[in-house]
Amino acid sequence: MTSILILNGPNLNLLGQRQPEVYGTTTLAGIETACRARATELGLGLDFHQSNSEGALVDLIHGAQGVHDGIVINAGAYTHTSIALMDALSSVALPAVELHLSNIHAREEFRHRSYIARVALGVICGFGPTGYLLAIDALEAHLGRVR
Ligand code: DQA
């Protein structure tokens, strides 16, 4: 069975209460439920994780090798800072979709740079929680083409 890993970085555990004017009111648990429903519809396996720690996210990316076929990653603020996450994604050579709830390009200048984008298949941002479903669909379409 084709399987994907969805990774969430720092502060995304606080979705629902964190800056609702930017990130909305849906919790991460709510997003996970919607992702699981979509994966079931598409016949995909799914793992879903959140960590506030950069090293833990690196370990989760390494652990995807040989287990998952692709990764959806909302790396939160590490998107804009983490060469380690970029290198981890390159090292496992799994197709990855970069995802953000907010439109990072319409926000502060420091959010316009993404290390993840350099190694990602593509980037989805600005569609709120729906973006997770779009990312699953995009990855599934890509895997269908390359399989
Ligand atoms: C985010 C955007 C990042 O700039 C920010 O640091 C986050 C959330 C998003 O989903 O919109 O933590 O990744």
Side-chain angles (χ1 to χ4, degrees):
M1 183 193 238
T2 301
S3 177
I4 66 174
L5 173 65
I6 301 188
L7 288 179
N8 295 281
N11 303 305
L12 293 169
N13 53 313
L14 297 183
L15 282 180
Q17 67 173 72
R18 172 192 184 199
Q19 294 179 272
E21 69 289 358
V22 178
Y23 299 115
T25 52
T26 308
T27 62
L28 193 62
I31 289 174
E32 178 174 358
T33 300
C35 288
R36 291 200 178 281
R38 177 63 117 246
T40 301
E41 268 169 38
L42 296 173
L44 297 172
L46 181 90
D47 261 352
F48 192 100
H49 292 283
Q50 187 275 332
S51 177
N52 293 320
S53 147
E54 187 177 16
L57 292 166
V58 168
D59 288 340
L60 285 162
I61 292 169
H62 292 177
Q65 220 171 8
V67 176
H68 298 291
D69 300 288
I71 298 174
V72 173
I73 180 163
N74 183 350
Y78 291 144
T79 305
H80 318 298
T81 61
S82 180
I83 296 170
L85 287 180
M86 176 184 75
D87 283 351
L89 289 167
S90 305
S91 304
V92 300
L94 287 170
V97 176
E98 174 181 341
L99 171 72
H100 302 284
L101 294 150
S102 63
N103 178 356
I104 54 173
H105 300 290
R107 299 182 64 194
E108 304 94 324
E109 194 81 28
F110 62 84
R111 295 187 203 274
H112 299 179
R113 179 176 73 178
S114 167
Y115 284 105
I116 308 290
R118 298 180 69 100
V119 296
L121 206 55
V123 181
I124 295 172
C125 72
F127 297 99
T130 304
Y132 281 78
L133 306 182
L134 297 175
I136 292 171
D137 289 353
L139 199 48
E140 136 80 13
H142 171 79
L143 291 169
R145 279 196 298 271
V146 297
R147 227 180 281 131

